[in-house]
Amino acid sequence: MVTHRAPEDAATKWPTTTFVDGVEAAITRARQIAGDQDVTIASATIIRQALDLGLVDEVCVSLVPVLFGEGISYFTKLERGHQLLDDPIVVQGRRALHLRYPVRRQHR
């Protein structure tokens, strides 16, 4: 869990949760835990920070036939500006369309 300060009783309440300070440290630790498996980021705030740090390999978007009309926007206010994505891998699901966009690496 990404946090600037873990609760004092964190080890007792959540013995299998790892608390880290900062997105880069969290992704590094998640990759260590995952080994050769994928790491998924499911937080709008964390994914924006990870994109800004250049730590995201792929953006997955699932389109479903529901309009909520509210919520947290995942991809607003990226510090580095526009982020180019490559052509998607399209997976047709049942009542959903899953799009997997490889992140295009920007050369600095």
Side-chain angles (χ1 to χ4, degrees):
M1 177 176 290
V2 180
T3 182
H4 293 293
R5 197 174 101 203
E8 290 180 23
D9 59 350
T12 304
K13 282 188 173 179
W14 305 283
T16 60
T17 300
T18 301
F19 290 86
V20 293
D21 184 11
V23 172
E24 192 165 7
I27 291 173
T28 298
R29 183 66 183 125
R31 285 180 174 158
Q32 291 169 349
I33 293 168
D36 62 353
Q37 296 182 10
D38 292 335
V39 171
T40 300
I41 301 170
S43 161
T45 303
I46 302 301
I47 191 68
R48 281 195 304 265
Q49 292 176 58
L51 280 165
D52 285 333
L53 291 167
L55 300 174
V56 178
D57 297 322
E58 183 177 74
V59 172
C60 299
V61 176
S62 294
L63 299 175
V64 295
V66 176
L67 299 175
F68 292 112
E70 60 182 54
I72 298 171
S73 179
Y74 267 63
F75 307 110
T76 60
K77 300 180 184 175
L78 293 173
E79 296 295 322
R80 294 180 4 178
H82 289 76
Q83 174 68 60
L84 295 176
L85 305 174
D86 284 329
D87 290 336
I89 298 163
V90 180
V91 179
Q92 179 65 53
R94 185 168 180 263
R95 296 194 42 81
L97 184 67
H98 307 285
L99 305 169
R100 296 172 55 192
Y101 292 94
V103 173
R104 191 176 292 178
R105 297 292 175 205
Q106 297 175 352
H107 301 287
R108 293 182 180 188

